DNA sequence: AATGAATGAGCCTTCATTCAT
DNA sequence: CATGAATGAAGGCTCATTCAT
C-alpha cells in the first residue's frame, strides 16, 4: 500500500495545530501521547474518508465504511467532525492546503519561462494526473455545485491563485518575447486546459483509450512557445 | 427557464416511435391522444429527472422529487423506467442522442478550416456552454466512475466521435497550411480543451469570476491558426 | 396442459347462474354470446387465480400475474370480484362446491364397508393426493387462520360432512362386525388422518422421500379392518 | 400469555454462546450485562416475529409490527437478521432446535413399547398440540413450498428423525409381540398421523368443534396395540 | 476518549385499486 | 364491457446520528 506515507504526511499537518503543554514530564508525555494518538486517528479518518469520497462520491459514501477503513469506531468520527457534510468540507481543505503550501514555496524563477512552465507541468504530471489528487479534482467538480463552500474554497485557494500565477508567467513570457500571442495573458485557462483535460481523461476514459499526458502537454507548449529546437 | 424548448424537443423524439394507424379518425385520434399523453409524461419525467440529477447528483436525487417536478405519481416513473439506475443511464442516452444526431448532420465543409472550427465553436458556445447540456457534461464527469455504462456510452457516442472529427479537421488544416503545428493531429484534445474548461467553469465558478468563453475560444484559435487579420 | 377440462368444468358452473333472456333470436344470441364469453373469462380468472394462490399463497400473489395468466386485463378482474380478499374467499367456494357435489352423489352403498372405504380412498388417491386439489387443501390450512370465512366454509362443506360420512361408515362397519374397535366411531379423524398426511407429504417432502400413499392407506385399513385375506 | 417462559428459554439459549471473562468483576458485569441485553433483545425479536408470522403468515407480516411488539426499533432487527427471509428461516431453526435437543435426550426405554409411545404422545399433547409450537408446525406446512430451506431443515431435523424413531419403536413392538400389524413398520407416518391432524385441527377448527386429542390418541393406540385391559 | 448498539427518518420499489377511453 | 395507464399508500431496508457503557 502507498497509503502510509500520505497518511503520515497528513498526520503531521493535523498535529501541527495541537497544543504542547509544559506540565510535568510524565503528564506531558502522557498528554502528548494521547494527542499524538488522537492526531493519528484523525489522520487515518481523513485518509479513509478521502478514499471513500473519491471512490463513491459524497452521498453514496457510508460513514461505516470510512470508520472501518480508518480502523476506528463509527462514533469516533464524531469526535473529530461535526457531521458528514462538514467532514467533507473540512476534508477538502485539509488535503488541499499542504499542496498549495508546497506549490507556493516555488523554486526560484530561473531559466526561461518555458522551462519554468515545463517544470510546473512535470510536477503536475507526477503529482496530480492519474493520482488520487487528480481524482480529488474530479470530486470537486462533481460535488462543487452541492457544496458551495467547497467550490468557494477551491476557487479561492487553488484556482484563482493558479490563474494568477499562470498569468504572471505568461506576461513574463510575453515580455521576454518567448510568447507571441499577447491575448493569452487574458486567458491563462488556455494554458492549463490540456492539463485539466488530462486529469479528467485519466479518471474516465483510460479504459477506452490511454492518453500520453506528458507528450500532449509538450505539444501544447510547442503551440504556445513555438516548436522547441531539439537540444 | 430554458425548459420549454428542450421538453418539446424530447417529446417529439419520444413520439417519433409511435405508430400512426389508418383506421377511423376517431380511433386514430384516441390512440394518438393516448400515445401522445404517454410521450408527454415520459418527456416530463425525463426533463424533471435531468434537472434533479444535475442539481443533486445521482445518489442524492429522490424519485419523489422527480415525480413531483414532472407532475406525475411516483409509481408512474416505473411505467417508463426499470429503476433509478437504469433511468439515469437511459436519461443520458435520451438527452445525448439527438444532440449527436444533429451534430452528425453537419453543414457541408466549405470555407477555411478555421471557419469550420469557428462555426463548430459557435454552436458549442450557444448550445452547450452555460446550458443544461453543459451541466450534463459535468454530471457525466461526476458520475462516470460509478456508472461505467454511462462513461462507455459517452465515450463511444460523443468523445471518440468528437476526437475523430477534430482530428480530421486538424489534418485538413495542416494539409492546407492553415495549421503549422503538425503534432496537434495527435492530440485533438488540445483543440477541445478550452471549450471543456469553459463548460466546467460555467458550472462551478461563474459566481466567482465570469468567463467570456467566446473570446477565450477566439484567442485559442489564434494560437493554433495564427492571429487572424481583422477583415 | 391439463387445464382446459378443469376450466371448462368451472365455466359451466359459473354459467349456471346466468340469466337467459327471451328477446329476439338475434339479441338472444348476442346476449348469450356475451354471457358465454363473460363466463369463460370468469372461469379463466378463477383457474388462473387458483394456480397463483396455490403457488404463492394469498399475500404473495399479484393480481397482475393472475390477469396475465388468465389472459385478461387487470381491470377485468374487478368486474367479477370485489377485491382480492373476496376473490380468494369466493374462489375456494367455487372450486370446492363441485367436488362436494360430486362426492355427495355417492355410488350406492353395496359391498362390504371396507370395499366402500377403499373405493373412497382410491378416489381420494387419484383426485386429491398429489394434485392441485391437494394443494388447495394445503392452501386452506395455510390461509385458514387469516380467512375465517374460508375456514368456516371449508369446515361446514367439507370437513363436517366428511367426518359425518366417515362416522356413518364406521358405525356400519362396527354393526356388521367388520370393525372391532368401537371407539373409532368417536374419532373418524383417525380413519382420514393418513390420507391427509399423504396430501401434506406430497406438497412438502416428496423431494426428500417419496411416499407410496396407496400402499400406506392399505396398511392403515388393514389395521382397522384386520389383515385382508388375499382373495 | 404463554410468552414469558418461552422468551426466557430462548434467551438462555442465546446467552449460552457468550463468553464469561474472568477479568475484573466490573468488566465482567458490564460485558455480560451488554451481552445479556443483546440476547434479551434478540429473544424478544424472535418471540415477536414468531407470533406475527404465525398469526399473519410470512408475506403479510410487517417488520414494523415485529419491532413494535418486540419493543425495539425497526433498524435493530437488522442487527440480528440479514433480512426478512433469512429471519424467517433462522426463526424456525431457533425455535425447533431446542425442542429436538430435548426430545433427543429421551427417557431411558423402560417398560412396554406402548408405554413408551404413550409417554411420547403425552409429551406431544402437552408441548405441541394447541400450543404455539403447534402453530409453528402449521406455519411450516403453510410456507414450506415457498421456503425450501425451511422445509429441508424441518424434514432433516424433525420429520426424518421422528420417522426413524417411530420406526424403531414399532419394530421393537413387533418383535415383542405388542404390535400385530407387521407392515406398520414401513409407514410410521400412520402412527403419527392422528397427532398431526390434532395439531392442524386445533389451529383451524377448534372454534367449530373441539377435539379431545388425548382421547383420540388413546383410541388410535388401542387400534394399533389392541384394546388396553383397564388396570 | 472511544466504542458500537440502537434508533428512526427517509427512500426505493411494489402492487391493489381506480377510471378515462 | 374491457382495458391498462395512473395512482399513492405501504413496506423493506439503509444509514447518519446518538448515547450508555
Amino acid at each position: 500500500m502507498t497509503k502510509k506515507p500520505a497518511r503520515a504526511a497528513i498526520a503531521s499537518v493535523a498535529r501541527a495545530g495541537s497544543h504542547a503543554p509544559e506540565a510535568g514530564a510524565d503528564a506531558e508525555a502522557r498528554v502528548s501521547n494521547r494527542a499524538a494518538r488522537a492526531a493519528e486517528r484523525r489522520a487515518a479518518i481523513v485518509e479513509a474518508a478521502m478514499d471513500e469520497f473519491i471512490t463513491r462520491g459524497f452521498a453514496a459514501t457510508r460513514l461505516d465504511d470510512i470508520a472501518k477503513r480508518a480502523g476506528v469506531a463509527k462514533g469516533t468520527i464524531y469526535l473529530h467532525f461535526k457531521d458528514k457534510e462538514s467532514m467533507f468540507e473540512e476534508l477538502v481543505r485539509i488535503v488541499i492546503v499542504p499542496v498549495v503550501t508546497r506549490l507556493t514555496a516555488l523554486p526560484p524563477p530561473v531559466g526561461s519561462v518555458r522551462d519554468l512552465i515545463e517544470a510546473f507541468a512535470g510536477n503536475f504530471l507526477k503529482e496530480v494526473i492519474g493520482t488520487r489528487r487528480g481524482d480529488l479534482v474530479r470530486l470537486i467538480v462533481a460535488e462543487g455545485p452541492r457544496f458551495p463552500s467547497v467550490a468557494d474554497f477551491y476557487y479561492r485557494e487553488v484556482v484563482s491563485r493558479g490563474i494568477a500565477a499562470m498569468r504572471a508567467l505568461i506576461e513574463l513570457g510575453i515580455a521576454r518575447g518567448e510568447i507571441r500571442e499577447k491575448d493569452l495573458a487574458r486567458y491563462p485557462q488556455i494554458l492549463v486546459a490540456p492539463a485539466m483535460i488530462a486529469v479528467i481523461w485519466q479518471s474516465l476514459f483510460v479504459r477506452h483509450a490511454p492518453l500520453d499526458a506528458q507528450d500532449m502537454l509538450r505539444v501544447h507548449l510547442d503551440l504556445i512557445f513555438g516548436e522547441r529546437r531539439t537540444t
Side-chain angles (χ1 to χ4, degrees), chain A:
Chain A
M1 264 186 279
T2 50
K3 274 174 214 164
K4 282 291 165 49
R7 182 177 296 192
I10 292 168
S12 69
V13 169
R15 246 196 311 274
S18 69
H19 37 104
E22 300 283 319
D26 251 34
E28 185 178 349
R30 235 181 298 128
V31 167
S32 74
N33 233 332
R34 268 209 205 164
R37 271 200 290 165
E40 257 171 54
R41 276 196 149 84
R42 189 185 160 89
I45 293 171
V46 166
E47 181 73 11
M50 213 63 236
D51 283 348
E52 292 289 329
F53 282 138
I54 284 173
T55 310
R56 305 172 140 66
F58 175 79
T61 289
R62 280 164 305 196
L63 291 196
D64 241 335
D65 289 344
I66 293 177
K68 213 165 290 168
R69 192 188 270 252
V72 301
K74 227 186 324 176
T76 306
I77 294 175
Y78 286 85
L79 299 174
H80 294 274
F81 300 96
K82 182 175 146 279
D83 58 16
K84 199 185 174 190
E85 282 203 18
S86 53
M87 173 163 63
F88 181 69
E89 292 173 1
E90 283 188 48
L91 236 55
V92 174
R93 282 172 176 74
I94 292 171
V95 175
I96 281 177
V97 163
V99 177
V100 170
T101 308
R102 219 171 337 135
L103 287 184
T104 310
L106 266 175
V110 288
S112 70
V113 170
R114 168 148 202 178
D115 287 339
L116 279 174
I117 291 183
E118 275 189 355
F120 225 95
N123 248 329
F124 196 79
L125 218 48
K126 201 170 45 181
E127 306 231 327
V128 179
I129 294 176
T131 72
R132 237 187 35 150
R133 262 189 284 275
D135 290 325
L136 176 60
V137 172
R138 218 211 57 248
L139 182 61
I140 291 168
V141 169
E143 307 289 356
R146 260 139 303 162
F147 290 89
S149 83
V150 165
D152 289 0
F153 174 83
Y154 190 70
Y155 180 78
R156 191 162 14 92
E157 296 298 317
V158 181
V159 176
S160 70
R161 290 184 186 205
I163 292 287
M166 289 303 124
R167 175 169 291 129
L169 281 174
I170 292 168
E171 282 169 348
L172 188 62
I174 292 169
R176 289 193 187 168
E178 289 183 60
I179 296 173
R180 191 177 305 175
E181 178 62 50
K182 304 218 159 68
D183 287 335
L184 194 60
R186 282 186 9 249
Y187 299 106
Q189 288 93 341
I190 292 173
L191 180 57
V192 183
M196 299 306 303
I197 292 305
V199 167
I200 291 171
W201 191 280
Q202 297 298 339
S203 293
L204 293 179
F205 305 131
V206 248
R207 250 201 344 265
H208 306 95
L211 180 68
D212 183 340
Q214 181 166 25
D215 194 41
M216 179 173 80
L217 294 189
R218 192 192 50 75
V219 173
H220 186 230
L221 292 186
D222 280 353
L223 200 61
I224 291 172
F225 289 92
E227 211 142 332
R228 188 158 228 181
R229 58 253 159 266
T230 354
T231 322

